[in-house]
Amino acid sequence: ASAEPLRATNCTYNPPFIFSLFVNQSIIMRFSHLAIIQILATSSCYAFLSPRVALKNATARRSSNGGTGAVAAKALFMTGDFAYQPTNADMEQKALEQKIKLTPKELIESITFERKSKRDDEKCDDFFTSLLTSDTGATTTTVSNDDNNNLGPVKQHAWDMLHRTVDPVIELERSFEDEEYTPYHTQPLPGETMLVPSGFQTYGLPIVRPRYEAWRYFNVREWMNARYENNIVEAAESSKVVDMEEIQSTLEARGAWLSDEACHARLIYVDGAFVPQLSKSSEFVNDLTVDSFSDDEIKCLSRLPDGFTDELAYDEIGASEYKVGKGDRNLKYSQLSGPDQNVGNPVTPFAMNSQSGNAAFCALNSVKAQSVASVSVPESVVVEAPILIVHVASANVSKRQSYPRTLIRMGKESEAPVQQFTVDLSSIGGADEASKIITSKFCNGYTQVYLQKGAKLDHNVMEDSLELFEGWVDQDDEANVREGARTGLDSTQLSHIDAHVASEACYSPTLFHYSSNGHCRTILQVSLLERAAECDISSINLSGGLTHSQQDFKVHHIEHETVSKQNQKTMCGGRSIATFRGAIRVEQEAQQTDAEQLAKNILVSDRARVWAIPSLEIVADDVTCTHGATVSDLSEEELFYLRSRGLDRQLARNLLMFAFVDEICQKVNGPNGEAVKRTIRTYLERLVPKGDRAIKGEFQSV
């Protein structure tokens, strides 16, 4: 066997490949990607071209040489791992098909769409329908706006987005001379049947699916078995059934309360209803209802994440002048870094792989929320004392859905510290199955943040629950049984924070998750829209018992010289599962970006599991980006050092665990920092293991 050397020319498609064997013109190759290779039968070289260029050149040479001759092109088609050379009959059939040309309109009209759902998909759609249609004055096709206890036009927009019909996206192939040409397209064959994208069979926004990348670690199949009967209580009725003094005293003990002297303003919501007797409003911190919405507020509140509001938020951050002279490629989420590296239409599978999967739940919040906690700091105003926002699920109302909604807008050169608490005060107890179902809760929060030029926002977000998970469920069978019967294990806590940052502004969110609810998921998305925009993200996630918790962070660098930092810490014990998904995307225009991401995870139990998934997606070529993740047990060397100084095993472990989270706890931006630390300490004490580890390894922290 012999073969001439292969030399690449005009290479526009360059996947990793391995050459195995060359035998004259019959070439056996093994590639890691599908490809089409054009082999030029010349005496000196072979050419490796892109699929489109290969077919184009092959057709041109065949036409110029009458389909014969020593220099006629031959195409080698890859199928799976191996290549085969088509026969003359195959090539003649291909040429015949190319003669049959259809106009784009004729091609689209020849295609049929089919909506297929698996059993799990139908169950997910039914679960979402039960949340959407319960006690809203709505059916599956209409929405009621008869009362003022909703968000009016914001609700209508979300409802319309949920009930639009979504068909597969057809991207026709463009000519090579077109400036928008890209080799990536989804042009189907004439008469082809295309499936509607998964998640869009029933609704116009993607509904949760077990196979989605965003949800694959959330145990969706178990979650779909839960049911949450919505029984929203109006504000007047809520004050009759809830003991406000008990609510206040409990919040004070858990650090979720600031006195009138210690805070600039305080907004308290109980079961979704604003409670004025516990609140302290100010000129620019108040409760918004549909009667007081301005056009700007409606535009801010109507925005949906994951590209389902395609236009970037330049108007909302006071940067309308930036849009002058810019095309869609710089102003629309789907067109950034186009035409080859853009995300594209949000309903395509490629775009959905990088989404949070939470757009439908954000729209659900817009449909079901009763009012909005609004913080609108004017230009050049500096707020010294913290602004406190607390959303409470009370212990006296069962079968509860709650939909906290928060809007924070910072004017140019303004500064403010904001504390935002979500506290589940559901009753403790209920070992029987009936009580467990009655007291389970569903909380779906949505927070929108807009920072104008030069603004600074220090944003603390705390997720807390009164009920504690059981400790040592991995070692104690009785504790495992008690944990399985716990009332909060069927409760769900979803939270989505969507932030947009202008030039020279700095957004500093610090997230504290120490809730015992069984299904918890927190999404943080930050878009750095203009030059020198910054964000500094810190978070801790304490997971124990049989709980599932997930934190998803995405920082989107859109303009040059933007800076981001992520410092995430997770401590996982018992039989719990914790997940961190961190993503950084740097667009083509975002040159000189500086991005850092680090996830540190400690497993204190043999049965606990943690998934740390940091990722970078960089289109620019002049950036400084780092990311990493560590998973470890408490260090045996550090434990030995402390025990050699007279500390017993339990106290030494406590000290190391408290030190691990203390770096984040120091960022509480108010006088209630010590109270928050005490609450976190009670959760850490439930995570501290007893005795020696059953499995010991070399992977220890240093």
Side-chain angles (χ1 to χ4, degrees), residues 347-463:
V347 306
T348 61
F350 176 77
M352 291 175 66
N353 283 336
S354 61
Q355 294 175 4
S356 68
N358 220 47
F361 285 100
C362 292
L364 176 65
N365 179 284
S366 295
V367 171
K368 304 294 283 291
Q370 301 179 62
S371 58
V372 179
S374 173
V375 177
S376 182
V377 182
E379 181 178 342
S380 301
V381 172
V382 177
V383 179
E384 298 290 345
I387 298 169
L388 180 66
I389 302 171
V390 183
H391 296 277
V392 177
S394 73
N396 294 331
V397 183
S398 62
K399 302 181 181 179
R400 174 70 54 186
Q401 292 181 34
S402 60
Y403 296 88
R405 187 62 173 265
T406 305
L407 175 63
I408 302 175
R409 298 187 298 164
M410 304 292 295
K412 294 181 179 179
E413 305 297 334
S414 63
E415 298 181 22
V418 175
Q419 291 186 7
Q420 184 176 339
F421 283 83
T422 302
V423 186
D424 185 354
L425 301 184
S426 58
S427 58
I428 299 176
D432 60 293
E433 186 68 18
S435 177
K436 176 180 172 182
I437 295 175
I438 290 175
T439 55
S440 61
K441 306 294 178 65
F442 178 86
C443 178
N444 177 27
Y446 188 21
T447 299
Q448 294 165 290
V449 180
Y450 300 93
L451 275 69
Q452 295 188 10
K453 182 178 180 180
K456 295 182 180 180
L457 175 62
D458 187 2
H459 190 195
N460 289 177
V461 180
M462 289 82 162
E463 297 174 351

Side-chain angles (χ1 to χ4, degrees), residues 33-44:
H33 292 278
L34 300 182
I36 304 176
I37 311 302
Q38 182 186 18
I39 306 302
L40 301 180
T42 64
S43 60
S44 60

Side-chain angles (χ1 to χ4, degrees), residues 144-145 212 372 431 502 507 541 684:
S144 173
N145 288 317
Y212 278 179
V372 179
Y507 178 51
N541 180 12
L684 288 174

Side-chain angles (χ1 to χ4, degrees), residues 436-598:
K436 176 180 172 182
I437 295 175
I438 290 175
T439 55
S440 61
K441 306 294 178 65
F442 178 86
C443 178
N444 177 27
Y446 188 21
T447 299
Q448 294 165 290
V449 180
Y450 300 93
L451 275 69
Q452 295 188 10
K453 182 178 180 180
K456 295 182 180 180
L457 175 62
D458 187 2
H459 190 195
N460 289 177
V461 180
M462 289 82 162
E463 297 174 351
D464 185 14
S465 62
L466 183 61
E467 185 182 23
L468 296 175
F469 49 72
E470 287 286 338
W472 314 297
V473 297
D474 57 317
Q475 300 169 322
D476 188 342
D477 291 339
E478 293 183 0
N480 192 27
V481 173
R482 291 194 302 270
E483 172 70 6
R486 189 168 56 83
T487 59
L489 200 59
D490 281 343
S491 295
T492 296
Q493 189 165 331
L494 306 179
S495 177
H496 192 111
I497 304 170
D498 189 25
H500 304 266
V501 187
S503 174
E504 300 176 7
C506 182
Y507 178 51
S508 302
T510 305
L511 284 71
F512 301 82
H513 174 79
Y514 45 94
S515 173
S516 295
N517 288 337
H519 309 281
C520 299
R521 191 168 186 261
T522 303
I523 310 295
L524 172 62
Q525 295 181 322
V526 182
S527 297
L528 304 177
L529 296 173
E530 292 190 294
R531 184 191 66 82
E534 298 183 20
C535 74
D536 185 0
I537 304 172
S538 302
S539 73
I540 58 173
N541 180 12
L542 305 182
S543 180
L546 299 176
T547 63
H548 290 73
S549 62
Q550 181 172 333
Q551 289 187 332
D552 281 23
F553 299 162
K554 181 176 181 179
V555 180
H556 195 179
H557 294 261
I558 297 176
E559 273 295 337
H560 61 286
E561 298 181 28
T562 50
V563 179
S564 69
K565 295 182 180 180
Q566 298 182 47
N567 181 20
Q568 197 274 343
K569 294 188 175 184
T570 297
M571 186 168 290
C572 194
R575 297 172 182 261
S576 64
I577 300 176
T579 304
F580 169 72
R581 297 174 70 245
I584 298 174
R585 178 175 169 88
V586 183
E587 299 292 352
Q588 192 169 13
E589 296 293 327
Q591 304 292 344
Q592 299 181 350
T593 284
D594 186 358
E596 299 177 8
Q597 180 189 90
L598 180 60

